[in-house]
Amino acid sequence: MSQQQPNCTKAWVPGETLGVVGAGVMGRGIVQVAAQAGIDVVLYDANSEAVSVAIEEIAHIFDRLQNKKKLTPEQVVQALSRISCASDLDAFSSCAVVIEAIVERLDAKQGLLGSLERVVADDCILATNTSSLSVTSIAAGCTRPERVGGFHCFNPVPLMKLVEVIEGVQTEPRVTDKLTALAQQVGHTAVRAQDTPGFVVNHAGRGMITESLRLHSEGVADFRAVDDILRDGVGFRLGPFELMDLTGLDVSQPVMESIYQQYYQEPRYRPTPLALQRLQAGLLGRKSGKGFYTYEQNQKLLAPRDEPLPVPLPTIWVSPGNEQTFKQLSGLVEKLGGTVDRGAKPAEDSLCLLAPLGQDATTAALELGVDPARAIAIDVIPDLDRLRTLMATPATGEAIKRAAYCLFSSDKVPVVMIRESAGFVAQRVLATIINIGCDMAQQRIASPADIDRAVTLGLGYPHGPLAWGDILGANKVVKILTNMHQASQDPRYRVSPWLSRRARLGLSLLSDEHIFSEGWTGATV
């Protein structure tokens, strides 16, 4: 990324005016937060009626904030007084920054910025709120592309306190400095990123969605099971299929296709036919009443799960591979009333409990030399006090499956039984998220800290991908990915160089690297 450089226009100067083109949801959200922050704003839309509707909606929002004691009557009056409506683009002649928030079409955005160039001052900064188009491509239609940058807000703007400040290929440092200052002035966190497909948030979000769709399409688990594991066991606010239903497949699927194509069919972002089929069938999600789930009055309908009949509980032999994991699982078995088989090898009638990383139950059983017919694998990545994921081999007997399910659900903690997969569900999804985050850091799309900030604020994940890798342990993540890659031969699981190097060196995934120390100005002769 370009280094920030001192510039007299970096700060937002009191008295400077912000221009906003586009009175839709995003445009009026930007106007609202700017006016609340003490900035004079000029709003324009080609549809004058849309401007009137936007001002009326902003006034209603301010009334609600006043009723909730979040704004005083005086603050409401002052904020509204800062908003003026424009009848044409000439009103932007004195603006320091103009942000466009119009339709996501390259030709429309290029045409608008070209028109703005003819009326704004030479030092005015032009910004695009695009979420999916290249800032560089938008700026290419301008005579001075160096003064164009990205200012990508998230909906709803007043609540989503994040702005991606995007640097196009020709964007000057003063532009991203100024846009960063504007974001901070309105109370948002600015993350600075290079102009790449998906920027930071939509790029990083590919991991959970695409890997979960692949799990479902491979028959490993149904969408409800994947959601339960990732929401309840891992800590996401929504499972991936709940999230797609909320967003709508008419929004999610084009983003998946676009990023995959823009990265020239990079396997990490490869979609599956599953989502496209459902989109073509009109199963959009909540907005259509049916998506992956069925909804009535916007409430998700869930059928009760079948519970297996109880069977006699055998002794439990726990894989001794990792001492910490052995103690954790042995303690859990005993806490649930089971008896641990402490032999070096399992007794002939013992259930063999395995805890593989990136492997399936069959591979783990054969490597340990235990009977696959008596093997059950458990994923130790999710919180075992909140949810437990079990996996059998194709040869595992029915009584063994039932015994494992009954034992691990005996304290009322939910248990999800999945079909065989190298890496379970949580391991596959988390390793993919972390690996993509590491690749983004490797490519210098954004700083490691900004990648994590953007993901936690923009996607609501419990941790950013790099911090999550540190929590799990970089070596463990490498092992999961390596084993999944070996099992599938799918290049989507190849280990990022950023992750591999830091695992070998014992460094945090958040550790950045600089060619020279701060203050170095270059080689001298």
Side-chain angles (χ1 to χ4, degrees), residues 17-24 26-32 40-56 58 82-89 91-92 95 98-99 101:
T17 302
L18 170 68
V20 176
V21 183
M26 294 299 289
R28 67 175 179 247
I30 295 169
V31 170
Q32 178 194 327
D40 291 329
V41 193
V42 179
L43 174 62
Y44 170 78
D45 194 291
N47 179 357
S48 59
E49 185 178 339
V51 175
S52 300
V53 171
I55 297 299
E56 186 177 340
I58 292 170
R82 297 186 187 107
I83 305 171
S84 59
C85 304
S87 58
D88 55 46
L89 296 181
F92 296 116
C95 289
V98 180
I99 303 171

Side-chain angles (χ1 to χ4, degrees), residues 356-359 367 422 478-488:
L357 293 174
Q359 292 180 324
E367 283 190 359
V478 168
K479 184 174 183 179
I480 291 169
L481 288 165
T482 301
N483 285 338
M484 291 196 302
H485 189 211
Q486 182 177 357
S488 67

Side-chain angles (χ1 to χ4, degrees), residues 14 33 107 169 211 219 231 236 251 287 310 422 500:
V33 297
D107 61 336
V169 171
E211 194 62 23
R231 183 189 60 247
F236 290 98
V251 175
K287 64 179 70 174
S500 174

Side-chain angles (χ1 to χ4, degrees), residues 51 69 71 81 199 207 233 241 307 363 385 412 474:
V51 175
K69 309 297 185 186
L71 289 178
S81 71
F199 306 140
F241 298 97
E307 295 291 328
T363 302
D385 290 330
K412 307 303 180 185

Side-chain angles (χ1 to χ4, degrees), residues 319-333:
S319 169
N322 178 284
E323 184 177 354
Q324 181 180 355
T325 301
F326 175 81
K327 289 181 178 178
Q328 178 189 16
L329 294 179
S330 297
L332 178 59
V333 167

Side-chain angles (χ1 to χ4, degrees), residues 349-365:
D349 57 351
S350 288
L351 183 157
C352 303
L353 184 64
L354 317 176
L357 293 174
Q359 292 180 324
D360 56 28
T362 295
T363 302

